[in-house]
């Protein structure tokens, strides 16, 4: 039922973004299956990540490119042509905390098209939802304590509780 619901949301012009603590490529596979991300086209899938040295880098086709305005514009073109953008949570935090020309360009032109924010800590989720809320109305669905801070920042939140049977009413209410 998830792909059908995601499709209905997209038809209604509602953006759906997966914000998760899970590993990026496993998250992408789930996002594709759910209909959140475009079908996996390796040449048009871009991953913005933070390197071990703390700098930002683009990964695509198993190649890593430096974070620059020139590369960002090429990535934007691929994303606009149906590509998929994955961003690591720590890259989101680094991007939003920095202020360079390339960072501002990505924040304004590319980040709004993200399909998956993966490997996100509670702080990363909070920062992303706070940034997104400045752009549009945000509904945050969370399934754990790691989502609480971001859920409090969203305009509307829904807690997806586990451990309840299908007959429980609690799974259908906003908390």
């Amino acid at each position: 039922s998830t792909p059908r619901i995601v499709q209905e949301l997209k038809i209604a012009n509602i953006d759906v973004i997966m914000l998760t603590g899970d590993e990026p490529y496993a998250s992408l596979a789930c996002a594709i299956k759910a209909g959140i991300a475009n079908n996996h086209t390796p040449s048009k899938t871009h991953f913005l990540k933070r390197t071990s040295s703390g700098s930002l880098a683009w990964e695509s086709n198993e190649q890593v490119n430096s974070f620059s305005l020139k590369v960002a514009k090429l990535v934007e073109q691929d994303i606009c042509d149906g590509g998929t953008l994955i961003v690591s949570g720590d890259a989101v935090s680094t991007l939003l905390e920095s202020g360079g020309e390339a960072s501002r360009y990505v924040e304004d032109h590319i980040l709004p098209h993200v399909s998956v924010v993966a490997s996100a800590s509670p702080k990363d989720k909070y920062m992303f939802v706070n940034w997104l809320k400045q752009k549009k109305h945000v509904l945050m669905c969370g399934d754990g304590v790691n989502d609480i801070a971001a859920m409090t920042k969203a305009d509307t939140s829904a807690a997806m509780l586990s451990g309840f049977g299908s007959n429980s009413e609690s799974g259908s209410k906003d908390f």
Side-chain angles (χ1 to χ4, degrees), residues 101-115:
E101 182 181 17
S103 294
R104 284 192 306 275
Y105 185 86
V106 169
E107 185 180 333
D108 292 341
H109 298 277
I110 300 174
L111 198 54
H113 302 286
V114 68
S115 297

Side-chain angles (χ1 to χ4, degrees), residues 142-160:
D143 65 355
V145 295
N146 59 333
D147 299 316
I148 292 173
M151 290 173 72
T152 62
K153 200 64 182 167
D155 296 299
T156 307
S157 297
M160 300 184 313

Side-chain angles (χ1 to χ4, degrees), residues 56 67 69 91-108 127:
L56 294 175
F67 184 77
L69 186 57
V92 166
S93 292
T94 300
L95 182 72
L96 297 177
E97 290 171 343
S98 64
E101 182 181 17
S103 294
R104 284 192 306 275
Y105 185 86
V106 169
E107 185 180 333
D108 292 341
M127 289 184 71

Side-chain angles (χ1 to χ4, degrees), residues 17-22 117 119-130 138-154 156-162 175:
I17 302 167
M18 179 184 283
L19 182 56
T20 178
D22 294 337
V117 178
S119 301
S121 70
K123 177 190 172 202
D124 301 330
K125 292 177 182 183
Y126 178 86
M127 289 184 71
F128 182 76
V129 169
N130 188 45
V138 176
L139 163 65
M140 169 83 181
C141 298
D143 65 355
V145 295
N146 59 333
D147 299 316
I148 292 173
M151 290 173 72
T152 62
K153 200 64 182 167
T156 307
S157 297
M160 300 184 313
L161 304 174
S162 61
F175 296 92

Side-chain angles (χ1 to χ4, degrees), residues 160-173:
M160 300 184 313
L161 304 174
S162 61
F164 292 91
S166 60
N167 294 332
S168 172
E169 294 180 24
S170 61
S172 63
K173 295 182 181 177

